[in-house]
């Protein structure tokens, strides 16, 4: 089952089924496989500011 991760700063939701194509993360990329240097496309915080929803 795909995981959704929410940014606690701006409420952006990373959906594993959609990815973040504009920032180099292909659809279907599991959260664990998103690069550690990836940042929220809306507020630019790191992965440590996301929680599973």
């Amino acid at each position: 089952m795909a995981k959704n991760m929410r940014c606690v700063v701006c409420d952006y939701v990373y959906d594993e089924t959609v990815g973040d194509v504009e920032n180099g993360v292909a659809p279907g990329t599991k959260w664990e496989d998103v690069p550690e240097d990836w940042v929220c496309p809306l507020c630019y915080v790191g992965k440590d500011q996301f929680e599973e929803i």
Side-chain angles (χ1 to χ4, degrees):
M1 183 172 179
K3 204 185 291 187
N4 288 332
M5 301 297 292
R6 182 180 66 85
C7 176
V8 298
V9 175
C10 74
D11 290 329
Y12 168 82
V13 174
Y14 175 82
D15 181 339
E16 290 181 342
T17 61
V18 176
D20 181 18
V21 176
E22 291 180 6
N23 293 295
V25 181
T29 302
K30 293 183 183 284
W31 180 249
E32 296 79 23
D33 297 331
V34 172
E36 289 304 314
D37 61 351
W38 177 87
V39 294
C40 177
L42 299 182
C43 71
Y44 309 106
V45 297
K47 286 178 65 178
D48 62 332
Q49 297 297 309
F50 280 73
E51 64 184 12
E52 188 170 356
I53 55 172

